[in-house]
Amino acid sequence: MTFKIHEIPKSSLDFTTILPPIDAGYTTPFNGMWDIWKGPSLTECATRLAQWHNHDPTSLWIYATDDATGEVVGGMGWNVHETDPFAAEGPELKAYWWPEGDMKEIADQVIEKFVESRPGYMSKPHMLISYCSVHPNNRHRGAASAMMKWGLQKADELNLETFVESTDHAKGLYEAHGFTVIREFVLNADVEEPSEEFMALKKKFLPLHGWIMSRPKARE
């Protein structure tokens, strides 16, 4: 099976075609981090990701289609930082897509902890893999590797180190493409006197375990 890689132009405001297979890939197996980023509505998430893509000059999105059927089978989001993104302090990101309540509290805490360590190893020009998912029906057929090779070729052309915060499930894919582990991470959330709903959500989503990984730039 062969796949065609497409880049989503900055003028595009429509992520509705590529998001269902990405969502399906993150659902099997369950990926709590994706559900936090996705929010309560896939439609709202598609609109939000399109807005972020169009307003962020570092954003690069690609998706893969099956050459035989034209079906979208997966997608991948990158950020291309040709300068240090932490040279100036950016705005704090809160999970505004969640309504006020226990789920938003969990999402806010997890996102804060997820990004707070980035300046320690990403304070340099680099590329970052933000999203990578393939529909379960199309796994192990080369779609993820095709998207990975497309992005890593760009990283090599720009001579940039590449980072990813990987799940346990995806770790082997990244290792196969030259990534090595920097460190392990575990994300959790707590409040004083948690409600029953908070504890039920915490049990469903947390803790989140993963691996910070990097791939060296092509040339010193």
Side-chain angles (χ1 to χ4, degrees):
M1 181 175 289
T2 57
F3 301 94
K4 184 176 181 180
I5 306 302
H6 312 259
E7 183 176 349
I8 300 180
K10 287 292 186 180
S11 57
S12 175
L13 294 175
D14 186 8
F15 272 53
T16 56
T17 302
I18 71 163
L19 219 51
I22 291 174
D23 182 49
Y26 279 135
T27 301
T28 308
F30 176 70
N31 184 321
M33 193 69 198
W34 165 250
D35 263 33
I36 286 171
W37 285 111
K38 179 178 68 174
S41 166
L42 192 62
T43 300
E44 183 279 331
C45 180
T47 300
R48 174 165 34 92
L49 288 180
Q51 291 172 342
W52 287 357
H53 177 57
N54 278 276
H55 289 92
D56 181 356
T58 75
S59 178
L60 173 66
W61 269 93
I62 59 175
Y63 64 96
T65 55
D66 184 325
D67 265 350
T69 65
E71 176 188 13
V72 178
V73 300
M76 195 168 188
W78 301 71
N79 291 95
V80 183
H81 297 289
E82 296 192 61
T83 59
D84 176 5
F86 302 104
E89 186 174 352
E92 183 180 21
L93 178 61
K94 294 289 188 180
Y96 60 85
W97 50 93
W98 283 102
E100 292 296 330
D102 289 328
M103 188 63 222
K104 185 177 186 304
E105 177 63 33
I106 288 174
D108 282 342
Q109 288 192 36
V110 167
I111 290 172
E112 180 182 6
K113 293 171 183 176
F114 184 63
V115 302
E116 67 181 3
S117 67
R118 284 180 174 178
Y121 51 92
M122 294 189 195
S123 293
K124 64 181 82 172
H126 68 273
M127 284 180 63
L128 172 67
I129 299 171
S130 303
Y131 306 91
C132 181
S133 181
V134 173
H135 194 286
N137 293 344
N138 291 281
R139 284 190 183 137
H140 309 298
R141 298 180 180 179
S145 287
M147 292 189 292
M148 189 76 66
K149 289 175 183 176
W150 190 97
L152 294 179
Q153 181 178 347
K154 186 171 186 67
D156 289 345
E157 290 170 356
L158 295 172
N159 199 34
L160 294 175
E161 187 175 359
T162 308
F163 293 96
V164 66
E165 291 123 340
S166 175
T167 61
D168 294 331
H169 176 72
K171 182 170 175 278
L173 170 69
Y174 296 118
E175 288 175 332
H177 287 275
F179 287 80
T180 57
V181 171
I182 297 175
R183 68 174 181 84
E184 188 177 9
F185 69 85
V186 178
L187 303 175
N188 218 323
D190 290 292
V191 295
E192 293 184 7
E193 300 181 4
S195 66
E196 290 185 8
E197 181 186 10
F198 184 95
M199 294 306 297
L201 289 168
K202 182 175 178 178
K203 182 177 180 180
K204 176 182 178 181
F205 287 93
L206 304 174
L208 293 173
H209 178 266
W211 307 89
I212 298 168
M213 306 179 74
S214 69
R215 176 184 179 269
K217 59 185 179 181
R219 303 172 301 279
E220 289 299 331

